[in-house]
Amino acid sequence: MEIKKDHINFSVGPVRIPADIARLGAEPVPYFRTTDFSQLMLESESLLKKMMGAPENARAVFLTGSGTAAMDAAVNGLFTKSDKLLIVCGGSFGHRFCEISEAYGIPYDAIELENGQPLTAAHLKSYEAGGYTGFLVNMHETSTGVLYDMDLIGDFCRRNHLILVVDAISAFLADPLNMEELGADIVLTGSQKALAVPPGVSMMVLSSRAVERVFDHQPACYYLSLKAALKNGERGQTPFTPAVGILIQINARLNQINAVGVEAERERIRCIATDFRTRIQNYPLRMFSQAPSNAVTSLTPVSSEVSAFHIFEVLKEEYNIIVCPNGGDLAEKVFRVGHLGNLTIADNDALFAALDDLLRRGILHG
């Protein structure tokens, strides 16, 4: 497969990587069972906790695996067959939490939402005092672009004394997130999203209550054991050989963001998203979700005769611009434009120049 190096990447991940971080990936990978590497990992844990707004007594772990590995580890590390989970299922990633729970035989109920539909108090009302022990939600359902009301969810979980697991894989650094204020017990994210390093590492921050729960029961998975990860993390290490090079890039990126401040990074992403959404209103495309994350804008053609997947293909093959297609029932209806990574307003300009050309060619009108 030919990879075009000069393309502009508007996907939601892997995103465009800053040049200095990318160069680190070409460096020789060092041996990692050393004091130096342990210190690097302990610093990364401290920085990640700070950026998540986690309590001081929280812990962070780094898993070699995609974001789904962290989702899997959170479910099997905190819950057993004696638990009962409530899962927000508003797209393919919410459905993934359901599938993981099924794989471990953990009972759950799913709050089924239409694609792009926000979660409301009315949806939660019938689940009050329902005997649940855990609540699982993708803060930003990346498949549709919808950002859920986390204050609403946090209040519901506090009232019902639920363990709150938040997948912030795409929302971290893009949308407001404070783990302590939210009352979340686990917040997880991935390396290839707003952190803008290569894929291969997922991260999670655990509250003290979550840590206690992990150590209270036997993990159902050997490689993704949070108990083993937490024990080894005390000395700045991992149970098994990690993706050492990516962890070094993560540390460098965390230090970059810490130098300018989390709010500044979040504002940078918000500005790129706002610029795009203001300008896209002049095109025969409408936003699919009315409560979008800053991470991505989901779009559907106004004309039912226009294929969203075809727009993705033309932008990729003829303009060297990568946007995100959708799968399943949404493949022909929705495509997504990401705002994460090393993007600028000038990149938005290039995308709109391409969309102007598609308009002239009649591709957006059908």
Side-chain angles (χ1 to χ4, degrees):
M1 181 179 71
E2 181 185 359
I3 304 296
K4 297 177 181 178
K5 296 182 180 179
D6 58 345
H7 70 270
I8 303 176
N9 182 6
F10 287 96
S11 75
V12 196
V15 301
R16 182 193 282 175
I17 302 171
D20 54 347
I21 300 298
R23 283 193 293 270
L24 280 177
E27 295 291 326
V29 177
Y31 180 61
F32 66 99
R33 299 298 192 197
T34 64
T35 301
D36 288 343
F37 189 75
S38 292
Q39 289 174 344
L40 178 144
M41 291 298 293
L42 290 170
E43 180 184 54
S44 292
E45 177 177 13
S46 177
L47 289 171
L48 184 63
K49 286 170 52 179
K50 176 182 177 181
M51 292 176 192
M52 289 279 193
E56 182 58 35
N57 60 356
R59 292 286 310 281
V61 298
F62 298 78
L63 304 172
T64 295
S66 68
T68 304
M71 294 170 71
D72 190 315
V75 173
N76 87 70
L78 263 73
F79 304 109
T80 69
K81 294 179 181 180
S82 62
D83 285 294
K84 184 181 177 184
L85 307 180
L86 188 57
I87 302 174
V88 178
C89 188
S92 60
F93 292 98
H95 183 61
R96 189 167 299 180
F97 263 139
C98 296
E99 291 180 322
I100 293 169
S101 300
E102 288 173 8
Y104 291 108
I106 301 172
Y108 72 90
D109 285 331
I111 304 173
E112 300 282 356
L113 302 174
E114 296 293 328
N115 286 320
Q117 181 183 16
L119 181 74
T120 67
H123 290 119
L124 295 175
K125 187 175 181 180
S126 62
Y127 298 100
E128 293 277 0
Y132 299 100
T133 50
F135 190 106
L136 279 57
V137 63
N138 314 93
M139 177 174 169
H140 162 221
E141 175 52 69
T142 316
S143 66
T144 63
V146 65
L147 178 69
Y148 295 125
D149 184 338
M150 297 308 298
D151 290 335
L152 174 72
I153 290 171
D155 289 343
F156 176 84
C157 290
R158 277 187 285 269
R159 282 198 309 275
N160 290 276
H161 310 291
L162 304 183
I163 299 290
L164 175 55
V165 176
V166 178
D167 161 8
I169 292 173
S170 295
F172 176 57
L173 296 176
D175 301 299
L177 171 63
N178 185 294
M179 181 176 175
E180 186 168 22
E181 291 178 2
L182 179 60
D185 292 285
I186 286 191
V187 179
L188 53 99
T189 190
S191 57
Q192 79 278 20
K193 303 292 186 177
L195 270 181
V197 303
V201 170
S202 55
M203 297 144 276
M204 63 172 69
V205 178
L206 300 87
S207 70
S208 58
R209 181 169 72 156
V211 170
E212 290 175 10
R213 195 173 176 90
V214 167
F215 281 100
D216 277 346
H217 76 269
Q218 189 65 28
C221 180
Y222 181 77
Y223 184 74
L224 295 177
S225 166
L226 290 182
K227 187 180 293 188
L230 287 164
K231 285 181 178 177
N232 282 268
E234 292 173 1
R235 59 190 179 97
Q237 287 289 332
T238 57
F240 316 106
T241 303
V244 176
I246 297 174
L247 287 168
I248 291 172
Q249 289 173 297
I250 287 172
N251 178 264
R253 189 74 178 104
L254 289 170
N255 274 288
Q256 275 187 351
I257 296 167
N258 189 54
V260 299
V262 173
E263 290 302 327
E265 177 65 11
R266 190 176 291 135
E267 179 63 13
R268 185 187 68 82
I269 294 170
R270 189 196 67 79
C271 286
I272 292 172
T274 300
D275 174 76
F276 178 82
R277 289 168 186 167
T278 300
R279 296 159 72 177
I280 200 64
Q281 296 177 37
N282 299 318
Y283 294 77
L285 300 164
R286 61 178 176 82
M287 290 179 60
F288 186 70
S289 169
Q290 298 308 306
S293 162
N294 290 325
V296 63
T297 302
S298 296
L299 297 169
T300 187
V302 171
S303 171
S304 60
E305 296 180 3
V306 175
S307 163
F309 191 79
H310 182 58
I311 294 172
F312 154 74
E313 289 183 309
V314 173
L315 287 173
K316 174 179 178 292
E317 297 301 328
E318 300 183 28
Y319 299 88
N320 291 347
I321 291 175
I322 307 296
V323 296
C324 272
N326 266 63
D329 295 340
L330 296 180
E332 299 296 329
K333 300 177 182 178
V334 177
F335 70 95
R336 296 165 291 160
V337 176
H339 311 299
L340 304 177
N342 194 29
L343 291 172
T344 65
I345 299 297
D347 294 316
N348 281 356
D349 295 341
L351 176 54
F352 280 106
L355 291 175
D356 286 339
D357 207 29
L358 294 188
L359 268 177
R360 285 190 291 269
R361 295 169 59 186
I363 291 176
L364 296 185
H365 285 297

